[in-house]
Amino acid sequence: MFHSKKFEYMNNNIFRYSGKILLGALIVTGCSDYLKEDSGDLLIPKKVEEYSPMLYAEGYPSEFNDDVAWFKLMTDDVESGRLEIDSLGETYLDKDGNAFDILESGEGKQAYTWNVDIEEKLTDNFWNARYENILACNIVIDALPTMEVQDSGKFNHLAGQAYALRAYNYWCLVNTYAVPYAEENMEKAGVILRTTPQVDIQARKRSTLRETYKLINEDFEKAEKYMEGSTAADNIHLLTKPAVWLLGSRIALFQENWDEVIRLGELFMESNAAVYDLNSVDPELLTNINDSKGFCMMDGLVNPEIVFTFGNSSYMYDFLAITLSGYNYGLGFRPSAEAENSLLKSYEEGDLRLQAYFKSDKPGETDKWGFYTEATYNYQYPIKYRRRYSTGAEKPNEKLFHENWRSVEVLLNLAEAYVRKSNAIDQQAIDLLNSLRRGRISTDKYVDKQMADFKNSDDLLKFIWAERRRELCFEEAMRFWDLRRQGMPEIEHRWYTSWNSYETYTLRQGSPNYVLSIPSSELTYNTDCIDNAREVINAK
């Protein structure tokens, strides 16, 4: 669960960190014992410069995208099916199903079919990883009152990061392992609140949803206050004032605190209203299937929407099939395209996101030597974070392998808040939607949305939610989190048992399976932690 490594005290009284060092040592011995004055050759951290590297290494999520990869299988953005050829092609029904089956081991099925015991074949690392990050935040927060302050701006930035990261990690936990925020749910179980700088292995009950959100909101308030006095560099790898505003707008949105969403959203938009215009991208780059030359939406060097990036995983879409030379896969997971409410069908004609966010191979073609290459994959798969090499560079751009927070999320949060607060067809919300869509729809197809295009406020709200799905697909676990707060709708999944047969699993509206079980890693030692009840979903 945790990592332990030795650390050294080097020249100029500065810690040298190698991976997970200070936190590992604190975990082994406990902060209070480890930092004693009489601990021999060990040093008591006192300065901001001594805590900042540890917080970056331990408080920031590092493998978040791997931890949530299987969350996407529980949503309507993913379907299973045949992979070799286009499902709309003439030869679809005649295709030989003898190709290698990417799903033959059943990998991913537990999540995709909302099994009672998802961990039967999957390991849930998300819970533990968030508490590892929280522990690092606790260490910094606990040390703040006695920390030597030579530069108040740097101190405030460190404190702001610690509180914001703790709020974010608890927000992730409560929106995964507890029921959605609602007044009738406030006394139901939230998550375990750990706020001390020591590893907590005592039996501990889950706090209520009310208590959990109280801590999240208090942490955010402190983070915002500290960030006001920070002197953070303009670095998208670190939380800064705009990123904290974005986080706050998200936290408020999920609590339906429309005034707070609007306050923070308008603060953010004053200086960070960027929408990357896909019409400005070279069409050849946008449609190039070559990963080394094609366009990448999540390139932090070129996309002005990105205000924060984190994580270091090299592959964003575990469980979703991709084209790999030399392999002919039979069945697998792919972005949903067949059902009427599928993700890919939700994009209208001229929506450039279909090219910028997804990729499908071109039909077979003959190269300059006369050799014919048959394209065996014609379905689309996500490429938001695909590998792209800079011109003349041997290594890919390091900023492409991270989760990103983008200005367009705040835009969508704000649009929803305007509609929900006014309970009307709000012109401000429509203006925000137009500013987003103008940068996403090709200029020859784009038309501004008008108030007359919507029957009522609910119609506009559903459109905002649809834009949110189209825009934020396959980022963090946003679709899963959004489905929970949007009424936990019914979802139907087909699980292919062979090339020509499938079983149907239906997650009913409001199902308790929208809440994940507490992982076995917690339940095996924490006897006071009560698990979430889930229901059996049988195939039909």
Side-chain angles (χ1 to χ4, degrees):
M1 174 178 172
F2 296 110
H3 301 277
S4 174
K5 295 183 180 179
K6 182 181 179 182
F7 77 89
E8 300 175 355
Y9 179 50
M10 300 301 289
N11 295 332
N12 300 320
N13 293 336
I14 299 296
F15 281 101
R16 189 180 82 179
Y17 297 85
S18 174
K20 299 183 175 181
I21 297 175
L22 176 57
L23 181 56
L26 292 171
I27 287 165
V28 171
T29 62
C31 182
S32 60
D33 291 335
Y34 186 74
L35 302 182
K36 286 181 179 179
E37 291 281 0
D38 60 356
S39 55
D41 60 344
L42 301 181
L43 175 72
I44 304 171
K46 294 181 179 179
K47 300 178 181 178
V48 171
E49 292 80 7
E50 295 167 342
Y51 280 98
S52 292
M54 183 275 290
L55 183 65
Y56 182 74
E58 300 288 353
Y60 281 75
S62 60
E63 298 179 353
F64 189 99
N65 29 34
D66 288 337
D67 294 337
V68 300
W70 54 274
F71 285 32
K72 300 168 180 63
L73 302 181
M74 299 183 288
T75 74
D76 52 359
D77 282 352
V78 174
E79 66 187 15
S80 75
R82 308 168 178 125
L83 300 180
E84 285 97 332
I85 60 176
D86 189 345
S87 62
L88 302 179
E90 294 180 0
T91 61
Y92 179 58
L93 296 179
D94 298 327
K95 175 64 183 177
D96 180 7
N98 293 325
F100 173 74
D101 182 1
I102 196 173
L103 301 179
E104 65 180 4
S105 66
E107 190 74 11
K109 180 181 179 181
Q110 305 300 84
Y112 184 72
T113 59
W114 309 287
N115 195 280
V116 170
D117 183 12
I118 286 179
E119 285 197 288
E120 183 178 323
K121 286 195 174 183
L122 287 168
T123 300
D124 184 353
N125 293 318
F126 191 68
W127 174 279
N128 284 347
R130 303 290 67 76
Y131 280 109
E132 289 182 18
N133 296 146
I134 287 167
L135 177 57
C137 296
N138 291 342
I139 292 170
V140 173
I141 290 169
D142 183 71
L144 290 175
T146 59
M147 199 174 297
E148 292 182 3
V149 180
Q150 296 177 333
D151 185 326
S152 61
K154 290 182 178 180
F155 173 83
N156 288 334
H157 187 221
L158 175 66
Q161 290 175 86
Y163 278 112
L165 286 168
R166 191 167 74 174
Y168 173 64
N169 281 290
Y170 273 121
W171 181 89
C172 289
L173 288 168
V174 78
N175 280 284
T176 304
Y177 302 100
V179 293
Y181 185 96
E183 188 56 41
E184 63 271 20
N185 291 337
M186 298 311 291
E187 301 310 317
K188 294 181 180 178
V191 297
I192 299 170
L193 297 184
R194 296 182 166 115
T195 58
T196 61
Q198 295 88 23
V199 176
D200 181 4
I201 59 173
Q202 297 179 1
R204 190 177 294 276
K205 295 180 180 179
R206 294 164 63 181
S207 299
T208 64
L209 197 66
R210 187 186 308 278
E211 291 167 336
T212 304
Y213 269 102
K214 182 176 183 292
L215 178 62
I216 292 171
N217 291 330
E218 288 174 349
D219 278 357
F220 172 74
E221 290 173 7
K222 293 173 183 175
E224 185 182 17
K225 180 179 178 181
Y226 277 116
M227 281 296 179
E228 286 296 326
S230 73
T231 54
D234 185 15
N235 184 344
I236 63 173
H237 291 281
L238 296 174
L239 284 171
T240 54
K241 189 185 301 182
V244 169
W245 284 334
L246 184 153
L247 172 62
S249 76
R250 183 191 293 188
I251 291 172
L253 181 79
F254 276 66
Q255 296 176 84
E256 300 191 345
N257 185 346
W258 312 127
D259 287 334
E260 184 71 350
V261 176
I262 292 170
R263 180 184 76 83
L264 292 166
E266 291 180 347
L267 278 174
F268 182 97
M269 298 293 286
E270 286 177 5
S271 57
N272 297 273
V275 174
Y276 193 6
D277 187 1
L278 295 180
N279 288 284
S280 68
V281 179
D282 184 341
E284 291 188 8
L285 289 179
L286 203 60
T287 58
N288 196 313
I289 67 170
N290 189 322
D291 282 342
S292 65
K293 297 180 181 179
F295 170 75
C296 179
M297 185 67 180
M298 293 306 194
D299 189 339
L301 295 177
V302 299
N303 188 347
E305 297 172 2
I306 298 173
V307 297
F308 176 51
T309 183
F310 63 93
N312 57 18
S313 300
S314 61
Y315 181 55
M316 293 296 302
Y317 307 113
D318 287 347
F319 302 104
L320 294 187
I322 61 171
T323 60
L324 295 174
S325 177
Y327 291 90
N328 292 315
Y329 291 135
L331 303 173
F333 294 119
R334 62 195 183 197
S336 60
E338 294 192 352
E340 275 305 308
N341 64 341
S342 66
L343 173 62
L344 295 184
K345 282 186 178 179
S346 72
Y347 293 94
E348 63 192 79
E349 183 181 1
D351 197 323
L352 298 175
R353 286 174 291 196
L354 271 174
Q355 299 170 341
Y357 298 177
F358 303 93
K359 167 181 168 181
S360 61
D361 286 352
K362 295 179 180 179
E365 56 185 23
T366 302
D367 62 24
K368 62 182 180 181
W369 293 284
F371 292 100
Y372 179 75
T373 302
E374 181 180 359
T376 56
Y377 296 82
N378 290 294
Y379 67 92
Q380 291 174 295
Y381 59 93
I383 56 169
K384 274 184 175 178
Y385 292 86
R386 69 172 169 180
R387 184 183 298 269
R388 185 173 74 97
Y389 289 81
S390 302
T391 304
E394 295 182 357
K395 295 182 178 180
N397 180 349
E398 65 176 7
K399 295 188 178 183
L400 303 189
F401 298 149
H402 305 274
E403 293 283 7
N404 290 328
W405 293 358
R406 298 184 289 133
S407 58
V408 291
E409 180 185 341
V410 180
L411 181 154
L412 290 163
N413 294 350
L414 194 52
E416 180 172 342
Y418 284 145
V419 174
R420 299 290 291 275
K421 182 179 179 180
S422 66
N423 196 29
I425 303 175
D426 190 274
Q427 185 62 55
Q428 294 180 94
I430 294 174
D431 290 343
L432 287 169
L433 289 173
N434 286 336
S435 69
L436 170 64
R437 290 168 53 80
R438 198 174 294 116
R440 300 298 189 250
I441 312 298
S442 61
T443 52
D444 61 324
K445 299 292 183 182
Y446 175 75
V447 177
D448 268 346
K449 289 293 181 182
Q450 307 291 335
M451 294 182 72
D453 293 325
F454 304 98
K455 299 176 183 178
N456 48 45
S457 61
D458 285 344
D459 192 31
L460 176 54
L461 178 61
K462 289 178 182 178
F463 188 82
I464 293 171
W465 284 355
E467 277 297 336
R468 186 178 179 89
R469 181 189 187 190
R470 287 186 282 265
E471 185 59 40
L472 303 180
C473 60
F474 300 107
E475 297 182 37
E476 295 175 81
M478 190 57 72
R479 183 57 180 168
F480 177 65
W481 293 329
D482 272 342
L483 286 169
R484 285 166 39 93
R485 75 177 180 90
Q486 293 170 2
M488 299 188 288
E490 178 181 294
I491 303 177
E492 184 178 283
H493 278 171
R494 292 179 175 180
W495 173 262
Y496 276 77
T497 55
S498 70
W499 187 257
N500 293 307
S501 61
Y502 60 82
E503 301 170 337
T504 300
Y505 291 82
T506 302
L507 180 71
R508 66 177 176 86
Q509 182 175 3
S511 171
N513 293 19
Y514 265 107
V515 181
L516 298 192
S517 296
I518 305 299
S520 57
S521 58
E522 179 76 35
L523 296 175
T524 52
Y525 78 87
N526 187 353
T527 56
D528 283 353
C529 181
I530 304 300
D531 198 5
N532 295 313
R534 288 169 63 89
E535 63 185 1
V536 175
I537 299 177
N538 294 314
K540 295 181 180 179

CSV table of all heavy atoms in Angstrom, one decimal, residues 51-61 161 165 237-238 309 402:
chain,number,residue,atom,x,y,z
A,51,TYR,N,9.5,20.9,2.6
A,51,TYR,CA,8.3,20.2,2.5
A,51,TYR,C,7.7,20.2,1.1
A,51,TYR,O,7.0,19.3,0.7
A,51,TYR,CB,7.2,20.9,3.4
A,51,TYR,CG,7.4,20.4,4.9
A,51,TYR,CD1,8.0,21.2,5.8
A,51,TYR,CD2,6.8,19.2,5.3
A,51,TYR,CE1,8.2,20.8,7.1
A,51,TYR,CE2,6.9,18.8,6.6
A,51,TYR,CZ,7.6,19.6,7.5
A,51,TYR,OH,7.7,19.2,8.8
A,52,SER,N,8.0,21.2,0.3
A,52,SER,CA,7.4,21.3,-1.1
A,52,SER,C,7.7,20.1,-2.0
A,52,SER,O,6.8,19.6,-2.6
A,52,SER,CB,7.9,22.6,-1.7
A,52,SER,OG,7.4,23.8,-1.1
A,53,PRO,N,9.0,19.6,-2.0
A,53,PRO,CA,9.3,18.5,-2.9
A,53,PRO,C,8.5,17.2,-2.4
A,53,PRO,O,8.0,16.4,-3.2
A,53,PRO,CB,10.8,18.3,-2.7
A,53,PRO,CG,11.3,19.6,-2.3
A,53,PRO,CD,10.2,20.2,-1.4
A,54,MET,N,8.4,17.1,-1.1
A,54,MET,CA,7.6,15.9,-0.6
A,54,MET,C,6.2,16.0,-1.0
A,54,MET,O,5.5,15.0,-1.4
A,54,MET,CB,7.8,15.8,0.9
A,54,MET,CG,7.1,14.6,1.6
A,54,MET,SD,5.3,14.8,1.9
A,54,MET,CE,5.4,16.0,3.3
A,55,LEU,N,5.6,17.2,-0.8
A,55,LEU,CA,4.2,17.3,-1.2
A,55,LEU,C,4.0,17.1,-2.7
A,55,LEU,O,3.0,16.4,-3.1
A,55,LEU,CB,3.7,18.7,-0.9
A,55,LEU,CG,2.2,19.0,-1.1
A,55,LEU,CD1,1.3,18.1,-0.2
A,55,LEU,CD2,1.8,20.5,-1.0
A,56,TYR,N,4.9,17.5,-3.5
A,56,TYR,CA,4.7,17.3,-5.0
A,56,TYR,C,4.8,15.8,-5.3
A,56,TYR,O,4.1,15.3,-6.1
A,56,TYR,CB,5.8,18.1,-5.7
A,56,TYR,CG,5.7,17.9,-7.2
A,56,TYR,CD1,4.6,18.5,-7.9
A,56,TYR,CD2,6.5,17.1,-7.9
A,56,TYR,CE1,4.5,18.3,-9.3
A,56,TYR,CE2,6.4,16.9,-9.3
A,56,TYR,CZ,5.4,17.5,-10.0
A,56,TYR,OH,5.2,17.3,-11.3
A,57,ALA,N,5.8,15.1,-4.6
A,57,ALA,CA,6.0,13.7,-4.9
A,57,ALA,C,4.9,12.8,-4.3
A,57,ALA,O,4.6,11.8,-4.9
A,57,ALA,CB,7.3,13.3,-4.3
A,58,GLU,N,4.3,13.2,-3.2
A,58,GLU,CA,3.4,12.4,-2.4
A,58,GLU,C,2.0,12.8,-2.4
A,58,GLU,O,1.0,12.0,-2.3
A,58,GLU,CB,3.9,12.2,-1.0
A,58,GLU,CG,5.3,11.5,-0.9
A,58,GLU,CD,5.3,10.1,-1.3
A,58,GLU,OE1,4.2,9.5,-1.5
A,58,GLU,OE2,6.4,9.5,-1.4
A,59,GLY,N,1.8,14.1,-2.4
A,59,GLY,CA,0.4,14.7,-2.2
A,59,GLY,C,-0.3,14.7,-3.6
A,59,GLY,O,-1.6,14.7,-3.6
A,60,TYR,N,0.4,14.9,-4.6
A,60,TYR,CA,-0.2,15.0,-6.0
A,60,TYR,C,-0.4,13.5,-6.5
A,60,TYR,O,0.5,12.7,-6.4
A,60,TYR,CB,0.7,15.7,-6.9
A,60,TYR,CG,0.7,17.2,-6.8
A,60,TYR,CD1,1.3,17.9,-5.8
A,60,TYR,CD2,0.0,18.0,-7.8
A,60,TYR,CE1,1.2,19.3,-5.6
A,60,TYR,CE2,0.0,19.4,-7.7
A,60,TYR,CZ,0.6,20.0,-6.6
A,60,TYR,OH,0.5,21.4,-6.5
A,61,PRO,N,-1.6,13.2,-7.0
A,61,PRO,CA,-1.8,11.9,-7.6
A,61,PRO,C,-0.8,11.6,-8.7
A,61,PRO,O,-0.6,12.4,-9.6
A,61,PRO,CB,-3.2,12.0,-8.1
A,61,PRO,CG,-3.9,13.1,-7.4
A,61,PRO,CD,-2.8,14.1,-7.1
A,161,GLN,N,-1.7,24.5,-1.6
A,161,GLN,CA,-1.7,23.3,-2.3
A,161,GLN,C,-2.1,22.1,-1.4
A,161,GLN,O,-2.9,21.2,-1.8
A,161,GLN,CB,-0.2,23.0,-2.8
A,161,GLN,CG,0.3,23.9,-3.9
A,161,GLN,CD,1.7,23.5,-4.2
A,161,GLN,OE1,2.0,22.6,-5.0
A,161,GLN,NE2,2.6,24.3,-3.6
A,165,LEU,N,-5.3,19.9,-2.3
A,165,LEU,CA,-5.1,18.5,-2.6
A,165,LEU,C,-5.9,17.6,-1.7
A,165,LEU,O,-6.5,16.6,-2.1
A,165,LEU,CB,-3.6,18.2,-2.6
A,165,LEU,CG,-2.8,18.7,-3.8
A,165,LEU,CD1,-1.3,18.5,-3.5
A,165,LEU,CD2,-3.1,18.0,-5.1
A,237,HIS,N,2.0,22.2,-13.8
A,237,HIS,CA,2.2,21.0,-13.0
A,237,HIS,C,1.9,21.2,-11.5
A,237,HIS,O,2.0,20.2,-10.8
A,237,HIS,CB,3.7,20.5,-13.2
A,237,HIS,CG,3.9,20.0,-14.6
A,237,HIS,ND1,3.6,18.7,-15.0
A,237,HIS,CD2,4.6,20.5,-15.6
A,237,HIS,CE1,3.9,18.5,-16.2
A,237,HIS,NE2,4.5,19.6,-16.7
A,238,LEU,N,1.7,22.4,-11.1
A,238,LEU,CA,1.4,22.7,-9.7
A,238,LEU,C,0.0,23.4,-9.6
A,238,LEU,O,-0.4,24.2,-10.6
A,238,LEU,CB,2.5,23.7,-9.1
A,238,LEU,CG,3.9,23.1,-9.1
A,238,LEU,CD1,4.8,24.2,-8.6
A,238,LEU,CD2,4.0,21.9,-8.1
A,309,THR,N,-2.1,20.0,-14.7
A,309,THR,CA,-1.9,18.7,-15.2
A,309,THR,C,-1.2,17.8,-14.2
A,309,THR,O,-0.3,18.3,-13.5
A,309,THR,CB,-1.1,18.7,-16.5
A,309,THR,OG1,-0.9,17.4,-17.1
A,309,THR,CG2,0.3,19.3,-16.3
A,402,HIS,N,-0.9,13.0,-18.9
A,402,HIS,CA,-1.4,13.5,-17.6
A,402,HIS,C,-2.9,13.7,-17.7
A,402,HIS,O,-3.4,14.0,-18.7
A,402,HIS,CB,-0.7,14.8,-17.2
A,402,HIS,CG,0.8,14.7,-17.1
A,402,HIS,ND1,1.5,14.2,-16.0
A,402,HIS,CD2,1.7,15.0,-18.0
A,402,HIS,CE1,2.8,14.3,-16.3
A,402,HIS,NE2,3.0,14.7,-17.5
